[in-house]
Amino acid sequence: MTRKVPFGRRMREDHFQFSPSYTPLNHGSFGAFPRVVQERQTELQKLAAERPDTFIVFDLPNYIDQSREAVAPLLGVPADEVVFVPNATTGINTVLRNLDFEAHDVIVHFSTIYPACEKTIASVGEHTPLTAVKIGLEYPIEDDEIVKIFKETVNQVRDGGQNVKIAMFDTILTFPGVRFPWEMIVLACKELGILSLIDGAHGIGSIDLTHVGSVAPDFFVSNCHKWLYTPRGCAVFHVPARNQHLIRTCLPTSHGYSYPYDKSPTPDGKTPFVHLFEFVATTDYTPYVCIPAALKFRKELCGGEAAIMKYSWELARIGGDRTAEILGTEVLENKAGTLRKCFFANVKLPLVFKAAGEQKQQGDFDVEEAPAIQKWINATAFKEFDTYLQVAFVYGHVWVRLSAQTYLEVRDFEWVGYKLKELCARLQNGELKG
């Protein structure tokens, strides 16, 4: 399918709602959605305002069913295996707070998981016997090495007399923004007899997930409001039929809960899993209901999922390389070239950090200064250049994570490259220290 609207600046001006002076290079954090989807949400909210009772009781369940039917093919799973939650963090909490953990049960996860998810694990461990084993990763690293380390860790834990019950990992890491070998880890989990819980927050809309059904993870959640162009917050939560009996309650527990568990369909023919999440509590469900409008925009104006991915993957590669060229640095990648198969480019900034005791040259920084430098770059970029830069100090360097999107062009990456070069020069000249 040929797209109707050119990608780049015209897409941004004609179809998105950014301020004319704002350069949106951080789509990955909170997403953005086109004007036509906003109009659909406003229409739905108007219907809810005009007839709140009948909209919520009669119309909303049908709209949510339509959204489930629309999104399920993007995961390659039946519609009865997907429901909606506000965000990926809620999905992760739902799984971990439903499972029964016994003495010696362990969850294995990686050091690169989303910080809120790591805190969820800690919280669950306060009230259950669950303990966590963290696998430290330092990028760049090869996918095969990650799988090897994972298997070795599981075997070591078992040799110590503990039971590895579940593993949690990502599709694409939050920082650095790189592709994670989630399919390979799911396979390893199956071989080892471990449940797999995938935080696919950065998945749907940015990478092909139509094989989720065939890869068959045990639990999978992905934010639609990041890359699929729906309003915030909306996440698709997939639990295969074989595991739905493990999810006894939504969060918070609400009308769909039954005790004892009844696996028979509801009077309207819906499964207990679907019924459980259909209406949890009074809130604005219109982000869930906007999925058909978002998919229509992506198909009719953007040319479909493949066209969006092709453009954005290439822009992340070309734009990231151009930013690194301007800065005289590099883009994070491994030897196999698998890390950059997503919409992110992680570019190293030309700042040198030295640990205590190491000899410094003029313009070098102490490692302890990194948090203040990160904060200064964030604030200065916003105040002076009207943009937001997702930067972090990892693996001994400060990196910026840039998001490619249909509304951006290579010149946007060039623009930020020159701005970052200016900011780094100012830091090296002592501006932060005053």
Side-chain angles (χ1 to χ4, degrees), residues 380-426:
T380 306
F382 166 65
K383 294 175 183 176
E384 298 186 12
F385 309 135
D386 199 11
T387 191
Y388 184 88
L389 300 178
Q390 189 69 31
V391 296
F393 180 76
V394 290
Y395 319 128
H397 302 278
V398 172
W399 301 78
V400 60
R401 189 197 71 186
L402 303 174
S403 301
Q405 253 305 319
T406 58
Y407 52 70
L408 294 171
E409 301 174 2
V410 172
R411 59 175 164 169
D412 295 305
F413 285 75
E414 292 176 331
W415 173 84
V416 78
Y418 289 115
K419 295 300 183 184
L420 283 166
K421 188 173 183 178
E422 174 190 332
L423 293 179
C424 290
R426 288 162 60 180

mmCIF file of all heavy atoms in Angstrom, residues 380-426:
data_model
loop_
_atom_site.group_PDB
_atom_site.id
_atom_site.type_symbol
_atom_site.label_atom_id
_atom_site.label_comp_id
_atom_site.label_asym_id
_atom_site.label_seq_id
_atom_site.Cartn_x
_atom_site.Cartn_y
_atom_site.Cartn_z
ATOM 1 N N THR A 380 18.693 22.506 29.878
ATOM 2 C CA THR A 380 19.151 23.519 28.930
ATOM 3 C C THR A 380 18.555 23.292 27.552
ATOM 4 O O THR A 380 18.163 24.248 26.862
ATOM 5 C CB THR A 380 20.687 23.514 28.850
ATOM 6 O OG1 THR A 380 21.226 23.652 30.168
ATOM 7 C CG2 THR A 380 21.188 24.657 27.980
ATOM 8 N N ALA A 381 18.472 22.038 27.134
ATOM 9 C CA ALA A 381 17.869 21.737 25.830
ATOM 10 C C ALA A 381 16.410 22.188 25.787
ATOM 11 O O ALA A 381 15.940 22.723 24.772
ATOM 12 C CB ALA A 381 17.974 20.250 25.532
ATOM 13 N N PHE A 382 15.710 21.985 26.897
ATOM 14 C CA PHE A 382 14.310 22.399 26.947
ATOM 15 C C PHE A 382 14.178 23.920 26.933
ATOM 16 O O PHE A 382 13.407 24.503 26.153
ATOM 17 C CB PHE A 382 13.636 21.820 28.195
ATOM 18 C CG PHE A 382 12.311 22.450 28.512
ATOM 19 C CD1 PHE A 382 11.238 22.313 27.647
ATOM 20 C CD2 PHE A 382 12.138 23.197 29.668
ATOM 21 C CE1 PHE A 382 10.010 22.902 27.934
ATOM 22 C CE2 PHE A 382 10.924 23.784 29.963
ATOM 23 C CZ PHE A 382 9.855 23.639 29.083
ATOM 24 N N LYS A 383 14.959 24.590 27.778
ATOM 25 C CA LYS A 383 14.822 26.039 27.924
ATOM 26 C C LYS A 383 15.291 26.805 26.697
ATOM 27 O O LYS A 383 14.681 27.795 26.294
ATOM 28 C CB LYS A 383 15.611 26.513 29.151
ATOM 29 C CG LYS A 383 15.057 26.005 30.471
ATOM 30 C CD LYS A 383 15.962 26.421 31.629
ATOM 31 C CE LYS A 383 15.469 25.877 32.956
ATOM 32 N NZ LYS A 383 16.398 26.212 34.078
ATOM 33 N N GLU A 384 16.381 26.339 26.080
ATOM 34 C CA GLU A 384 16.986 27.121 24.996
ATOM 35 C C GLU A 384 16.600 26.628 23.602
ATOM 36 O O GLU A 384 16.583 27.420 22.663
ATOM 37 C CB GLU A 384 18.509 27.104 25.150
ATOM 38 C CG GLU A 384 18.998 27.741 26.438
ATOM 39 C CD GLU A 384 20.517 27.833 26.500
ATOM 40 O OE1 GLU A 384 21.171 27.610 25.457
ATOM 41 O OE2 GLU A 384 21.052 28.127 27.590
ATOM 42 N N PHE A 385 16.304 25.340 23.447
ATOM 43 C CA PHE A 385 16.077 24.786 22.112
ATOM 44 C C PHE A 385 14.685 24.204 21.930
ATOM 45 O O PHE A 385 14.351 23.716 20.848
ATOM 46 C CB PHE A 385 17.124 23.704 21.812
ATOM 47 C CG PHE A 385 18.544 24.129 22.049
ATOM 48 C CD1 PHE A 385 19.429 23.295 22.707
ATOM 49 C CD2 PHE A 385 18.998 25.378 21.633
ATOM 50 C CE1 PHE A 385 20.742 23.680 22.934
ATOM 51 C CE2 PHE A 385 20.297 25.772 21.858
ATOM 52 C CZ PHE A 385 21.180 24.927 22.516
ATOM 53 N N ASP A 386 13.861 24.227 22.979
ATOM 54 C CA ASP A 386 12.494 23.694 22.939
ATOM 55 C C ASP A 386 12.464 22.256 22.424
ATOM 56 O O ASP A 386 11.797 21.924 21.452
ATOM 57 C CB ASP A 386 11.582 24.580 22.073
ATOM 58 C CG ASP A 386 10.106 24.343 22.388
ATOM 59 O OD1 ASP A 386 9.808 23.673 23.397
ATOM 60 O OD2 ASP A 386 9.248 24.816 21.603
ATOM 61 N N THR A 387 13.209 21.410 23.105
ATOM 62 C CA THR A 387 13.164 19.979 22.837
ATOM 63 C C THR A 387 13.441 19.254 24.136
ATOM 64 O O THR A 387 13.861 19.864 25.125
ATOM 65 C CB THR A 387 14.190 19.570 21.758
ATOM 66 O OG1 THR A 387 13.936 18.221 21.343
ATOM 67 C CG2 THR A 387 15.615 19.673 22.284
ATOM 68 N N TYR A 388 13.205 17.958 24.134
ATOM 69 C CA TYR A 388 13.534 17.141 25.307
ATOM 70 C C TYR A 388 14.464 16.025 24.867
ATOM 71 O O TYR A 388 14.163 15.299 23.908
ATOM 72 C CB TYR A 388 12.293 16.539 25.963
ATOM 73 C CG TYR A 388 12.624 15.777 27.234
ATOM 74 C CD1 TYR A 388 12.664 16.432 28.456
ATOM 75 C CD2 TYR A 388 12.931 14.418 27.194
ATOM 76 C CE1 TYR A 388 12.999 15.755 29.620
ATOM 77 C CE2 TYR A 388 13.268 13.738 28.354
ATOM 78 C CZ TYR A 388 13.298 14.407 29.562
ATOM 79 O OH TYR A 388 13.638 13.733 30.708
ATOM 80 N N LEU A 389 15.578 15.888 25.578
ATOM 81 C CA LEU A 389 16.574 14.881 25.224
ATOM 82 C C LEU A 389 16.661 13.843 26.336
ATOM 83 O O LEU A 389 16.932 14.183 27.497
ATOM 84 C CB LEU A 389 17.935 15.540 25.005
ATOM 85 C CG LEU A 389 17.974 16.590 23.886
ATOM 86 C CD1 LEU A 389 19.360 17.208 23.787
ATOM 87 C CD2 LEU A 389 17.564 15.972 22.554
ATOM 88 N N GLN A 390 16.426 12.600 25.972
ATOM 89 C CA GLN A 390 16.515 11.500 26.930
ATOM 90 C C GLN A 390 17.976 11.070 27.026
ATOM 91 O O GLN A 390 18.500 10.402 26.148
ATOM 92 C CB GLN A 390 15.645 10.324 26.466
ATOM 93 C CG GLN A 390 15.496 9.215 27.477
ATOM 94 C CD GLN A 390 14.662 9.634 28.671
ATOM 95 O OE1 GLN A 390 13.750 10.452 28.562
ATOM 96 N NE2 GLN A 390 14.976 9.086 29.831
ATOM 97 N N VAL A 391 18.650 11.502 28.094
ATOM 98 C CA VAL A 391 20.074 11.213 28.253
ATOM 99 C C VAL A 391 20.295 10.453 29.547
ATOM 100 O O VAL A 391 19.543 10.597 30.513
ATOM 101 C CB VAL A 391 20.922 12.495 28.228
ATOM 102 C CG1 VAL A 391 20.830 13.185 26.890
ATOM 103 C CG2 VAL A 391 20.513 13.442 29.353
ATOM 104 N N ALA A 392 21.339 9.634 29.552
ATOM 105 C CA ALA A 392 21.676 8.871 30.749
ATOM 106 C C ALA A 392 23.146 8.512 30.724
ATOM 107 O O ALA A 392 23.758 8.381 29.655
ATOM 108 C CB ALA A 392 20.822 7.603 30.843
ATOM 109 N N PHE A 393 23.701 8.340 31.906
ATOM 110 C CA PHE A 393 25.091 7.918 32.049
ATOM 111 C C PHE A 393 25.105 6.415 32.262
ATOM 112 O O PHE A 393 24.677 5.911 33.303
ATOM 113 C CB PHE A 393 25.744 8.627 33.237
ATOM 114 C CG PHE A 393 27.188 8.246 33.453
ATOM 115 C CD1 PHE A 393 28.175 8.747 32.622
ATOM 116 C CD2 PHE A 393 27.547 7.392 34.486
ATOM 117 C CE1 PHE A 393 29.506 8.409 32.818
ATOM 118 C CE2 PHE A 393 28.875 7.050 34.697
ATOM 119 C CZ PHE A 393 29.857 7.553 33.853
ATOM 120 N N VAL A 394 25.553 5.678 31.257
ATOM 121 C CA VAL A 394 25.661 4.225 31.347
ATOM 122 C C VAL A 394 26.944 3.782 30.658
ATOM 123 O O VAL A 394 27.391 4.388 29.684
ATOM 124 C CB VAL A 394 24.451 3.497 30.704
ATOM 125 C CG1 VAL A 394 23.183 3.694 31.524
ATOM 126 C CG2 VAL A 394 24.225 3.970 29.275
ATOM 127 N N TYR A 395 27.537 2.720 31.203
ATOM 128 C CA TYR A 395 28.731 2.110 30.620
ATOM 129 C C TYR A 395 29.883 3.108 30.463
ATOM 130 O O TYR A 395 30.627 3.087 29.495
ATOM 131 C CB TYR A 395 28.396 1.446 29.281
ATOM 132 C CG TYR A 395 27.078 0.717 29.303
ATOM 133 C CD1 TYR A 395 26.102 0.946 28.337
ATOM 134 C CD2 TYR A 395 26.778 -0.180 30.338
ATOM 135 C CE1 TYR A 395 24.879 0.284 28.394
ATOM 136 C CE2 TYR A 395 25.551 -0.831 30.388
ATOM 137 C CZ TYR A 395 24.612 -0.592 29.425
ATOM 138 O OH TYR A 395 23.389 -1.232 29.483
ATOM 139 N N GLY A 396 29.968 4.038 31.425
ATOM 140 C CA GLY A 396 31.085 4.969 31.458
ATOM 141 C C GLY A 396 30.952 6.194 30.591
ATOM 142 O O GLY A 396 31.898 6.995 30.499
ATOM 143 N N HIS A 397 29.793 6.376 29.943
ATOM 144 C CA HIS A 397 29.608 7.516 29.041
ATOM 145 C C HIS A 397 28.189 8.064 29.182
ATOM 146 O O HIS A 397 27.283 7.373 29.655
ATOM 147 C CB HIS A 397 29.853 7.105 27.580
ATOM 148 C CG HIS A 397 31.208 6.541 27.324
ATOM 149 N ND1 HIS A 397 32.315 7.322 27.121
ATOM 150 C CD2 HIS A 397 31.641 5.247 27.254
ATOM 151 C CE1 HIS A 397 33.375 6.562 26.918
ATOM 152 N NE2 HIS A 397 32.998 5.297 26.997
ATOM 153 N N VAL A 398 28.004 9.294 28.756
ATOM 154 C CA VAL A 398 26.660 9.859 28.632
ATOM 155 C C VAL A 398 26.177 9.598 27.213
ATOM 156 O O VAL A 398 26.874 9.908 26.238
ATOM 157 C CB VAL A 398 26.638 11.367 28.941
ATOM 158 C CG1 VAL A 398 25.256 11.943 28.612
ATOM 159 C CG2 VAL A 398 26.953 11.610 30.411
ATOM 160 N N TRP A 399 24.986 9.022 27.118
ATOM 161 C CA TRP A 399 24.374 8.705 25.824
ATOM 162 C C TRP A 399 23.060 9.458 25.693
ATOM 163 O O TRP A 399 22.372 9.719 26.684
ATOM 164 C CB TRP A 399 24.090 7.216 25.705
ATOM 165 C CG TRP A 399 25.293 6.326 25.829
ATOM 166 C CD1 TRP A 399 25.941 5.961 26.980
ATOM 167 C CD2 TRP A 399 26.000 5.696 24.757
ATOM 168 N NE1 TRP A 399 26.992 5.136 26.691
ATOM 169 C CE2 TRP A 399 27.061 4.948 25.338
ATOM 170 C CE3 TRP A 399 25.834 5.672 23.366
ATOM 171 C CZ2 TRP A 399 27.940 4.203 24.575
ATOM 172 C CZ3 TRP A 399 26.713 4.926 22.600
ATOM 173 C CH2 TRP A 399 27.758 4.204 23.199
ATOM 174 N N VAL A 400 22.677 9.779 24.475
ATOM 175 C CA VAL A 400 21.356 10.330 24.197
ATOM 176 C C VAL A 400 20.587 9.310 23.376
ATOM 177 O O VAL A 400 21.118 8.725 22.428
ATOM 178 C CB VAL A 400 21.438 11.689 23.452
ATOM 179 C CG1 VAL A 400 22.155 11.563 22.122
ATOM 180 C CG2 VAL A 400 20.032 12.273 23.257
ATOM 181 N N ARG A 401 19.362 9.051 23.785
ATOM 182 C CA ARG A 401 18.486 8.119 23.067
ATOM 183 C C ARG A 401 17.536 8.924 22.192
ATOM 184 O O ARG A 401 16.668 9.636 22.691
ATOM 185 C CB ARG A 401 17.695 7.266 24.058
ATOM 186 C CG ARG A 401 16.912 6.128 23.423
ATOM 187 C CD ARG A 401 15.838 5.597 24.361
ATOM 188 N NE ARG A 401 14.738 6.550 24.525
ATOM 189 C CZ ARG A 401 13.734 6.388 25.379
ATOM 190 N NH1 ARG A 401 13.700 5.352 26.184
ATOM 191 N NH2 ARG A 401 12.760 7.288 25.453
ATOM 192 N N LEU A 402 17.703 8.822 20.880
ATOM 193 C CA LEU A 402 16.873 9.552 19.923
ATOM 194 C C LEU A 402 15.839 8.622 19.315
ATOM 195 O O LEU A 402 16.154 7.487 18.959
ATOM 196 C CB LEU A 402 17.753 10.167 18.831
ATOM 197 C CG LEU A 402 18.853 11.112 19.314
ATOM 198 C CD1 LEU A 402 19.749 11.531 18.156
ATOM 199 C CD2 LEU A 402 18.250 12.338 20.001
ATOM 200 N N SER A 403 14.616 9.120 19.174
ATOM 201 C CA SER A 403 13.523 8.327 18.615
ATOM 202 C C SER A 403 13.261 8.724 17.167
ATOM 203 O O SER A 403 13.068 9.905 16.870
ATOM 204 C CB SER A 403 12.236 8.545 19.415
ATOM 205 O OG SER A 403 12.396 8.189 20.769
ATOM 206 N N ALA A 404 13.241 7.742 16.287
ATOM 207 C CA ALA A 404 12.828 7.998 14.904
ATOM 208 C C ALA A 404 11.315 7.853 14.801
ATOM 209 O O ALA A 404 10.714 7.027 15.489
ATOM 210 C CB ALA A 404 13.517 7.009 13.963
ATOM 211 N N GLN A 405 10.723 8.669 13.927
ATOM 212 C CA GLN A 405 9.273 8.597 13.734
ATOM 213 C C GLN A 405 8.909 9.112 12.348
ATOM 214 O O GLN A 405 9.717 9.741 11.662
ATOM 215 C CB GLN A 405 8.538 9.405 14.811
ATOM 216 C CG GLN A 405 7.830 8.536 15.852
ATOM 217 C CD GLN A 405 6.880 7.536 15.248
ATOM 218 O OE1 GLN A 405 6.141 7.828 14.309
ATOM 219 N NE2 GLN A 405 6.879 6.321 15.771
ATOM 220 N N THR A 406 7.669 8.855 11.967
ATOM 221 C CA THR A 406 7.206 9.244 10.634
ATOM 222 C C THR A 406 7.191 10.750 10.451
ATOM 223 O O THR A 406 7.189 11.235 9.314
ATOM 224 C CB THR A 406 5.787 8.704 10.375
ATOM 225 O OG1 THR A 406 4.895 9.211 11.381
ATOM 226 C CG2 THR A 406 5.768 7.185 10.416
ATOM 227 N N TYR A 407 7.164 11.503 11.532
ATOM 228 C CA TYR A 407 7.102 12.963 11.436
ATOM 229 C C TYR A 407 8.480 13.622 11.537
ATOM 230 O O TYR A 407 8.567 14.845 11.657
ATOM 231 C CB TYR A 407 6.154 13.527 12.503
ATOM 232 C CG TYR A 407 6.418 13.056 13.906
ATOM 233 C CD1 TYR A 407 7.548 13.465 14.610
ATOM 234 C CD2 TYR A 407 5.532 12.191 14.545
ATOM 235 C CE1 TYR A 407 7.792 13.041 15.901
ATOM 236 C CE2 TYR A 407 5.763 11.747 15.836
ATOM 237 C CZ TYR A 407 6.898 12.188 16.506
ATOM 238 O OH TYR A 407 7.136 11.746 17.789
ATOM 239 N N LEU A 408 9.537 12.828 11.516
ATOM 240 C CA LEU A 408 10.895 13.365 11.597
ATOM 241 C C LEU A 408 11.665 13.092 10.315
ATOM 242 O O LEU A 408 11.284 12.222 9.520
ATOM 243 C CB LEU A 408 11.642 12.744 12.779
ATOM 244 C CG LEU A 408 11.116 13.092 14.181
ATOM 245 C CD1 LEU A 408 11.817 12.239 15.221
ATOM 246 C CD2 LEU A 408 11.279 14.572 14.474
ATOM 247 N N GLU A 409 12.768 13.834 10.139
ATOM 248 C CA GLU A 409 13.640 13.671 8.977
ATOM 249 C C GLU A 409 15.087 13.662 9.445
ATOM 250 O O GLU A 409 15.385 13.977 10.606
ATOM 251 C CB GLU A 409 13.432 14.825 7.982
ATOM 252 C CG GLU A 409 12.021 14.947 7.460
ATOM 253 C CD GLU A 409 11.827 16.194 6.604
ATOM 254 O OE1 GLU A 409 12.819 16.946 6.401
ATOM 255 O OE2 GLU A 409 10.690 16.429 6.162
ATOM 256 N N VAL A 410 15.995 13.359 8.527
ATOM 257 C CA VAL A 410 17.419 13.343 8.867
ATOM 258 C C VAL A 410 17.867 14.715 9.363
ATOM 259 O O VAL A 410 18.691 14.820 10.280
ATOM 260 C CB VAL A 410 18.264 12.897 7.656
ATOM 261 C CG1 VAL A 410 19.758 13.060 7.941
ATOM 262 C CG2 VAL A 410 17.960 11.445 7.291
ATOM 263 N N ARG A 411 17.301 15.772 8.813
ATOM 264 C CA ARG A 411 17.725 17.111 9.231
ATOM 265 C C ARG A 411 17.400 17.384 10.698
ATOM 266 O O ARG A 411 18.061 18.194 11.336
ATOM 267 C CB ARG A 411 17.103 18.183 8.338
ATOM 268 C CG ARG A 411 15.598 18.209 8.302
ATOM 269 C CD ARG A 411 15.113 19.396 7.478
ATOM 270 N NE ARG A 411 13.717 19.280 7.103
ATOM 271 C CZ ARG A 411 13.016 20.268 6.578
ATOM 272 N NH1 ARG A 411 13.587 21.446 6.364
ATOM 273 N NH2 ARG A 411 11.751 20.091 6.243
ATOM 274 N N ASP A 412 16.392 16.690 11.251
ATOM 275 C CA ASP A 412 16.114 16.824 12.676
ATOM 276 C C ASP A 412 17.243 16.223 13.505
ATOM 277 O O ASP A 412 17.616 16.752 14.550
ATOM 278 C CB ASP A 412 14.785 16.150 13.026
ATOM 279 C CG ASP A 412 13.594 16.826 12.376
ATOM 280 O OD1 ASP A 412 13.439 18.043 12.562
ATOM 281 O OD2 ASP A 412 12.837 16.142 11.654
ATOM 282 N N PHE A 413 17.789 15.112 13.037
ATOM 283 C CA PHE A 413 18.911 14.476 13.724
ATOM 284 C C PHE A 413 20.182 15.322 13.567
ATOM 285 O O PHE A 413 21.003 15.391 14.487
ATOM 286 C CB PHE A 413 19.128 13.067 13.172
ATOM 287 C CG PHE A 413 18.112 12.064 13.650
ATOM 288 C CD1 PHE A 413 16.817 12.047 13.135
ATOM 289 C CD2 PHE A 413 18.444 11.132 14.623
ATOM 290 C CE1 PHE A 413 15.877 11.131 13.579
ATOM 291 C CE2 PHE A 413 17.515 10.204 15.071
ATOM 292 C CZ PHE A 413 16.228 10.205 14.548
ATOM 293 N N GLU A 414 20.323 15.949 12.412
ATOM 294 C CA GLU A 414 21.462 16.850 12.228
ATOM 295 C C GLU A 414 21.332 18.053 13.159
ATOM 296 O O GLU A 414 22.325 18.484 13.780
ATOM 297 C CB GLU A 414 21.537 17.306 10.772
ATOM 298 C CG GLU A 414 21.887 16.184 9.806
ATOM 299 C CD GLU A 414 21.854 16.632 8.364
ATOM 300 O OE1 GLU A 414 21.074 17.562 8.035
ATOM 301 O OE2 GLU A 414 22.596 16.051 7.554
ATOM 302 N N TRP A 415 20.152 18.600 13.240
ATOM 303 C CA TRP A 415 19.901 19.753 14.110
ATOM 304 C C TRP A 415 20.289 19.436 15.551
ATOM 305 O O TRP A 415 21.014 20.196 16.201
ATOM 306 C CB TRP A 415 18.420 20.138 14.029
ATOM 307 C CG TRP A 415 17.996 21.205 14.995
ATOM 308 C CD1 TRP A 415 18.106 22.551 14.839
ATOM 309 C CD2 TRP A 415 17.401 21.003 16.293
ATOM 310 N NE1 TRP A 415 17.611 23.208 15.948
ATOM 311 C CE2 TRP A 415 17.166 22.292 16.847
ATOM 312 C CE3 TRP A 415 17.026 19.871 17.023
ATOM 313 C CZ2 TRP A 415 16.593 22.462 18.102
ATOM 314 C CZ3 TRP A 415 16.466 20.041 18.266
ATOM 315 C CH2 TRP A 415 16.247 21.322 18.798
ATOM 316 N N VAL A 416 19.833 18.269 16.065
ATOM 317 C CA VAL A 416 20.134 17.928 17.450
ATOM 318 C C VAL A 416 21.613 17.607 17.618
ATOM 319 O O VAL A 416 22.194 17.853 18.682
ATOM 320 C CB VAL A 416 19.238 16.777 17.951
ATOM 321 C CG1 VAL A 416 19.711 15.413 17.437
ATOM 322 C CG2 VAL A 416 19.190 16.763 19.475
ATOM 323 N N GLY A 417 22.247 17.097 16.578
ATOM 324 C CA GLY A 417 23.683 16.842 16.654
ATOM 325 C C GLY A 417 24.459 18.116 16.910
ATOM 326 O O GLY A 417 25.355 18.162 17.773
ATOM 327 N N TYR A 418 24.137 19.171 16.171
ATOM 328 C CA TYR A 418 24.827 20.445 16.357
ATOM 329 C C TYR A 418 24.490 21.082 17.707
ATOM 330 O O TYR A 418 25.353 21.697 18.351
ATOM 331 C CB TYR A 418 24.495 21.399 15.208
ATOM 332 C CG TYR A 418 25.131 21.000 13.900
ATOM 333 C CD1 TYR A 418 24.354 20.615 12.815
ATOM 334 C CD2 TYR A 418 26.519 20.976 13.756
ATOM 335 C CE1 TYR A 418 24.941 20.231 11.598
ATOM 336 C CE2 TYR A 418 27.118 20.598 12.560
ATOM 337 C CZ TYR A 418 26.322 20.220 11.497
ATOM 338 O OH TYR A 418 26.909 19.840 10.304
ATOM 339 N N LYS A 419 23.249 20.934 18.140
ATOM 340 C CA LYS A 419 22.878 21.481 19.446
ATOM 341 C C LYS A 419 23.626 20.752 20.566
ATOM 342 O O LYS A 419 24.111 21.379 21.520
ATOM 343 C CB LYS A 419 21.366 21.362 19.668
ATOM 344 C CG LYS A 419 20.522 22.195 18.714
ATOM 345 C CD LYS A 419 20.840 23.680 18.823
ATOM 346 C CE LYS A 419 19.934 24.513 17.913
ATOM 347 N NZ LYS A 419 20.301 25.953 17.933
ATOM 348 N N LEU A 420 23.714 19.433 20.462
ATOM 349 C CA LEU A 420 24.437 18.659 21.469
ATOM 350 C C LEU A 420 25.934 18.991 21.459
ATOM 351 O O LEU A 420 26.568 19.050 22.516
ATOM 352 C CB LEU A 420 24.231 17.166 21.230
ATOM 353 C CG LEU A 420 22.883 16.605 21.685
ATOM 354 C CD1 LEU A 420 22.644 15.225 21.097
ATOM 355 C CD2 LEU A 420 22.812 16.552 23.218
ATOM 356 N N LYS A 421 26.467 19.209 20.275
ATOM 357 C CA LYS A 421 27.883 19.580 20.179
ATOM 358 C C LYS A 421 28.127 20.902 20.906
ATOM 359 O O LYS A 421 29.145 21.061 21.619
ATOM 360 C CB LYS A 421 28.284 19.694 18.709
ATOM 361 C CG LYS A 421 29.767 19.892 18.485
ATOM 362 C CD LYS A 421 30.105 19.827 17.000
ATOM 363 C CE LYS A 421 31.608 19.951 16.773
ATOM 364 N NZ LYS A 421 31.953 19.834 15.326
ATOM 365 N N GLU A 422 27.200 21.833 20.749
ATOM 366 C CA GLU A 422 27.315 23.117 21.444
ATOM 367 C C GLU A 422 27.224 22.931 22.958
ATOM 368 O O GLU A 422 28.014 23.511 23.713
ATOM 369 C CB GLU A 422 26.200 24.050 20.971
ATOM 370 C CG GLU A 422 26.130 25.364 21.727
ATOM 371 C CD GLU A 422 24.877 26.163 21.401
ATOM 372 O OE1 GLU A 422 24.347 26.024 20.282
ATOM 373 O OE2 GLU A 422 24.432 26.915 22.284
ATOM 374 N N LEU A 423 26.265 22.128 23.398
ATOM 375 C CA LEU A 423 26.100 21.910 24.833
ATOM 376 C C LEU A 423 27.330 21.247 25.446
ATOM 377 O O LEU A 423 27.772 21.622 26.538
ATOM 378 C CB LEU A 423 24.858 21.049 25.097
ATOM 379 C CG LEU A 423 23.495 21.681 24.771
ATOM 380 C CD1 LEU A 423 22.378 20.690 25.060
ATOM 381 C CD2 LEU A 423 23.287 22.963 25.567
ATOM 382 N N CYS A 424 27.892 20.269 24.752
ATOM 383 C CA CYS A 424 29.086 19.587 25.263
ATOM 384 C C CYS A 424 30.280 20.538 25.347
ATOM 385 O O CYS A 424 31.066 20.489 26.306
ATOM 386 C CB CYS A 424 29.426 18.386 24.386
ATOM 387 S SG CYS A 424 28.228 17.028 24.526
ATOM 388 N N ALA A 425 30.407 21.427 24.354
ATOM 389 C CA ALA A 425 31.496 22.404 24.386
ATOM 390 C C ALA A 425 31.335 23.350 25.567
ATOM 391 O O ALA A 425 32.319 23.709 26.243
ATOM 392 C CB ALA A 425 31.528 23.185 23.073
ATOM 393 N N ARG A 426 30.117 23.744 25.843
ATOM 394 C CA ARG A 426 29.860 24.631 26.977
ATOM 395 C C ARG A 426 30.174 23.933 28.303
ATOM 396 O O ARG A 426 30.716 24.535 29.232
ATOM 397 C CB ARG A 426 28.416 25.119 26.937
ATOM 398 C CG ARG A 426 28.171 26.117 25.821
ATOM 399 C CD ARG A 426 26.689 26.283 25.485
ATOM 400 N NE ARG A 426 25.906 26.755 26.611
ATOM 401 C CZ ARG A 426 24.580 26.968 26.546
ATOM 402 N NH1 ARG A 426 23.930 26.758 25.386
ATOM 403 N NH2 ARG A 426 23.925 27.382 27.596
#
